[in-house]
Amino acid sequence: MFLIKIPEADSTNRQILEFAAEREAPFALMAYSQTAGRGQRGNKWEAEPGRNITLSVLFHPRTVKASEQFIISQAVSVAIAETLRHYMPQYSSSVAIKWPNDIYVGNSKICGILIENVINGTEIVRSIAGIGLNVNQSVFLSDAPNPVSMRQLMGKEYDIDVLAQYLCNVIERFAKAFFVPNHYPRLRGRYFSMLWRAQGYHSYLDTASGEKFQGMISNIDASGYITLTDDNGRQRRYAFKEVEAINIDEP
């Protein structure tokens, strides 16, 4: 995949559009410093300049229907998880995808993904995947509860240029392989096999009602909705932001 590198951007998800007319998608834009990076729920993404990977990939996924746009999120998150397993083999069994697309190592967040789709009717006109991967940062100053970096885990520095290109190539390979309807089941199988808290009952918070409950992941459908079966056997279906995974000791 062609990777453009620039010194600074406010948001790579926004700035990649300035290059869209010049490049054939998919391509990626990486900024060594991102001044207004966005995370999920409108949060600001903390990334020490020159120490981490902040990049965006632009796709024109014309073979993916708007009703199944979650396939894009699944492909990108699985590609990143596979990349981390390659670079950190000691942690291979601990790398997991927290629904919908955060990447965790154990109970710590190492990567955030922000997918932004432009839809016209049933067609996805454009998809941008913004990726923030903690690589060489050793100290986190924000109030994010559980960040971790590759350096903290592995005790060594990484060449972010080499790592970014490898990651982009894996994402491109996954897009070519899985943005095809008859390959969706295989991608979903890989996604499910990597899910964080995939087994057993865990603590969740219904953000609308404030209710805490014990639930087990029973399904994630093509549109990205998650279904949790609570310990009373009730099926609870949620969109992103409607439910949060919590630790049992959280107030």
Side-chain angles (χ1 to χ4, degrees):
M1 179 185 292
F2 190 81
L3 173 61
I4 300 168
K5 303 170 189 175
I6 60 175
E8 183 178 280
D10 54 355
S11 165
T12 57
N13 266 28
R14 186 200 65 77
Q15 200 147 344
I16 196 171
L17 294 174
E18 297 178 8
F19 298 86
E22 305 169 12
R23 302 295 319 178
E24 182 178 347
F27 72 94
L29 172 72
M30 180 171 77
Y32 293 102
S33 176
Q34 187 173 231
T35 58
R38 291 171 293 145
Q40 294 173 349
R41 299 182 176 89
N43 296 329
K44 187 178 185 298
W45 181 258
E46 179 187 0
E48 184 180 347
R51 305 286 291 166
N52 304 290
I53 288 175
T54 49
L55 65 78
S56 296
V57 181
L58 187 145
F59 304 97
H60 292 310
R62 295 183 178 88
T63 57
V64 180
K65 295 179 181 178
S67 60
E68 296 192 298
Q69 61 188 277
F70 191 58
I71 283 293
I72 299 167
S73 182
Q74 288 177 316
V76 173
S77 56
V78 171
I80 295 171
E82 292 283 13
T83 297
L84 288 171
R85 289 181 175 187
H86 171 79
Y87 273 89
M88 303 191 303
Q90 298 95 317
Y91 290 92
S92 181
S93 62
S94 301
V95 175
I97 302 167
K98 180 188 174 190
W99 174 83
N101 54 22
D102 282 339
I103 310 299
Y104 271 41
V105 181
N107 289 316
S108 298
K109 181 175 177 178
I110 196 168
C111 181
I113 305 168
L114 179 64
I115 307 287
E116 296 183 307
N117 295 319
V118 175
I119 295 171
N120 182 14
T122 61
E123 178 184 343
I124 301 175
V125 177
R126 180 179 69 235
S127 181
I128 298 174
I131 299 164
L133 175 61
N134 300 329
V135 183
N136 293 323
Q137 190 159 338
S138 57
V139 177
F140 292 88
L141 302 177
S142 75
D143 58 0
N146 58 345
V148 73
S149 70
M150 296 173 69
R151 182 184 185 278
Q152 288 175 323
L153 292 169
M154 297 294 290
K156 65 179 183 180
E157 299 260 333
Y158 290 86
D159 185 322
I160 60 172
D161 292 307
V162 173
L163 178 57
Q165 186 64 66
Y166 182 94
L167 173 61
C168 288
N169 292 345
V170 175
I171 291 173
E172 182 177 35
R173 188 171 77 243
F174 272 62
K176 287 180 178 177
F178 293 117
F179 288 180
V180 182
N182 61 338
H183 290 172
Y184 291 173
R186 189 156 58 97
L187 174 61
R188 287 175 180 145
R190 291 181 76 166
Y191 177 85
F192 268 86
S193 73
M194 293 180 166
L195 273 178
W196 184 70
R197 290 187 170 183
Q199 305 296 323
Y201 287 88
H202 299 276
S203 298
Y204 292 90
L205 171 70
D206 184 309
T207 58
S209 67
E211 177 191 4
K212 294 180 181 180
F213 65 95
Q214 293 291 303
M216 177 173 61
I217 299 173
S218 54
N219 187 48
I220 299 173
D221 65 25
S223 58
Y225 281 78
I226 191 170
T227 299
L228 300 169
T229 303
D230 67 23
D231 50 5
N232 292 316
R234 174 186 170 191
Q235 300 283 299
R236 298 167 174 251
R237 185 172 181 264
Y238 294 101
F240 178 53
K241 299 184 182 182
E242 294 179 349
V243 67
E244 293 180 5
I246 59 173
N247 294 323
I248 196 167
D249 56 350
E250 288 184 10

